[in-house]
Amino acid sequence: MIRVAVIGVNHIGNIHCRAYRQHPDTELAAVCDLLPERAEKAGLEHGVPAYTDMREMLDKEQIDAVIVATAGVEKGSHHFAPVMAAIEAGKDVFVEKPISNRIEEARQMVAFAREKGVRFACNLNHRFSPAAYRAKELATEGKLGSLLFLNMRLTIRNGQDETEWFHMRALHPHSIDVLRYFGGDIARVQAFMTKAPDRKTWSTVSVNLQFASGAVGHLTGSYDMSMRHPIECCEVAGSEGRLVLDNVYESMTYYPHHSHELTVYRNPIFGGMQGFDDTFRQRINRFVEQLKAGDAPDEIEASGADALAAQEVIEAAIRSHQLGGAPVDVPAMAT
């Protein structure tokens, strides 16, 4: 059994707690939160020791993996200290997205995990669905040919308005991760942003992308749309075919250039994913599967390094907007 501790037990943290209690290969060992009442409540609910000091928890409990589900400004400012403490203790780590809203902290976390040789994963859950897996298989099999363009749209309703970059930093790690999942590293961006009436955050964005491979792409993102309608679409096109991944998990269609016959995957009514929240379960299951298999740190899917790469793209897009839409190079990832 893999013994798991969860740091940060508000809404998302409690989802993690239930997931690891229910998983056949994991055991929830402890919970931790800076707020004593929140830690105590979670400890009682899940029947495990509760702590307010993460270092005390790491010293006293037998723990294999640490889940960092804290939040903070732009959903990421409280990740650094617990992640670094868990890595220092030699534990495998799973952090909520964004890895951090401060790019220097994100770089430090990834570098420290690499130095210590621990597995470091992030909850970039939009790539974890059967439809996305099937699309990835087709791309890997060469059914697209040479990659030419990728288009991504992620538009939801979120009225939170805490900072001007909240929309970009809190939401679009998902968008960028899906784009990188199919297209590889992004080398250069050009961004234009606007604010819906009475908003402080740049709540709708348009980002042009140039991939390291030479392919081009585009991201449209918004916090100003409706949750009643499809929220996400990814289109990946090459010299031999094109695929479209609709609404995260609902369907995938492959359009070969030289045939009238399509390849279609549809989420089944019975036995399929019941809703978007199932992507969360799928992502956790894959993390546990990789821990159980003893996969090397550089084999972890949706890794801390992937999360850092997404944040580098986001920061470059922010800089481009600040420069009036000038193209900005994305820093190359350290190896």
Side-chain angles (χ1 to χ4, degrees):
M1 297 290 283
I2 298 167
R3 289 177 58 83
V4 176
V6 176
I7 299 176
V9 285
N10 203 2
H11 174 65
I12 295 295
N14 273 298
I15 293 175
H16 275 285
C17 289
R18 287 189 287 273
Y20 292 106
R21 285 179 61 192
Q22 295 167 3
H23 198 286
D25 295 320
T26 62
E27 177 184 352
L28 183 64
V31 296
C32 180
D33 199 287
L34 288 176
L35 298 179
E37 62 275 16
R38 188 181 288 168
E40 181 180 357
K41 180 181 178 182
L44 290 172
E45 178 181 347
H46 302 296
V48 297
Y51 294 85
T52 56
D53 186 324
M54 61 187 169
R55 288 177 174 81
E56 180 185 2
M57 179 186 73
L58 292 170
D59 287 340
K60 288 185 175 180
E61 301 293 336
Q62 180 187 340
I63 295 167
D64 301 307
V66 173
I67 313 305
V68 177
T70 52
V73 177
E74 297 168 336
K75 304 298 185 184
S77 67
H78 293 170
H79 291 165
F80 183 72
V83 166
M84 295 295 277
I87 293 172
E88 178 65 42
K91 311 302 181 185
D92 294 322
V93 180
F94 182 109
V95 67
E96 274 297 324
K97 65 84 204 167
I99 182 175
S100 177
N101 66 325
R102 302 184 182 102
I103 196 66
E104 285 299 331
E105 289 185 352
R107 291 167 182 164
Q108 288 181 56
M109 285 186 272
V110 171
F112 196 40
R114 185 178 292 118
E115 175 189 332
K116 291 292 187 179
V118 304
R119 301 173 185 88
F120 187 21
C122 186
N123 192 20
L124 298 168
N125 54 302
H126 287 221
R127 68 160 85 175
F128 291 92
S129 74
Y133 297 152
R134 183 62 182 126
K136 183 69 170 180
E137 286 177 355
L138 291 169
T140 302
E141 290 167 4
K143 296 297 180 64
L144 297 179
S146 297
L147 200 60
L148 299 176
F149 70 81
L150 298 91
N151 289 318
M152 182 79 189
R153 173 178 51 79
L154 176 53
T155 58
I156 66 173
R157 168 70 65 181
N158 187 334
Q160 289 182 263
D161 223 31
E162 62 182 54
T163 74
E164 62 179 339
W165 310 116
F166 174 66
H167 166 227
M168 282 298 298
R169 289 180 175 146
L171 179 64
H172 291 296
H174 288 308
S175 312
I176 302 301
D177 183 64
V178 172
L179 285 162
R180 291 187 69 256
Y181 182 57
F182 292 111
D185 288 338
I186 295 168
R188 191 162 60 150
V189 300
Q190 179 190 32
F192 304 95
M193 306 182 189
T194 191
K195 297 177 182 179
D198 302 318
R199 297 211 67 165
K200 178 167 63 176
T201 193
W202 293 99
S203 55
T204 292
V205 303
S206 172
V207 185
N208 295 321
L209 309 161
Q210 184 177 42
F211 290 79
S213 67
V216 295
H218 187 263
L219 164 65
T220 299
S222 182
Y223 261 172
D224 302 314
M225 296 297 104
S226 171
M227 302 294 282
R228 295 181 176 89
H229 309 296
I231 66 169
E232 184 173 309
C233 179
C234 181
E235 179 184 32
V236 186
S239 58
E240 299 297 323
R242 179 174 63 97
L243 63 83
V244 177
L245 188 62
D246 268 325
N247 215 20
V248 189
Y249 68 90
E250 288 187 350
S251 69
M252 185 283 304
T253 305
Y254 167 65
Y255 301 86
H257 288 342
H258 307 295
S259 173
H260 296 296
E261 296 182 3
L262 310 181
T263 298
V264 179
Y265 172 89
R266 294 188 188 279
N267 184 59
I269 296 174
F270 297 104
M273 297 180 68
Q274 299 303 301
F276 175 76
D277 287 351
D278 281 355
T279 62
F280 194 95
R281 177 176 53 82
Q282 295 261 356
R283 199 280 166 266
I284 288 175
N285 287 350
R286 181 56 182 151
F287 176 60
V288 173
E289 183 178 57
Q290 291 198 279
L291 293 185
K292 189 177 178 182
D295 287 357
D298 62 0
E299 296 175 325
I300 295 299
E301 296 172 19
S303 65
D306 288 322
L308 170 59
Q311 290 301 133
E312 294 281 13
V313 174
I314 288 166
E315 295 307 312
I318 289 171
R319 183 63 178 151
S320 172
H321 176 67
Q322 291 172 325
L323 293 172
V328 171
D329 291 339
V330 178
M333 292 290 292
T335 57

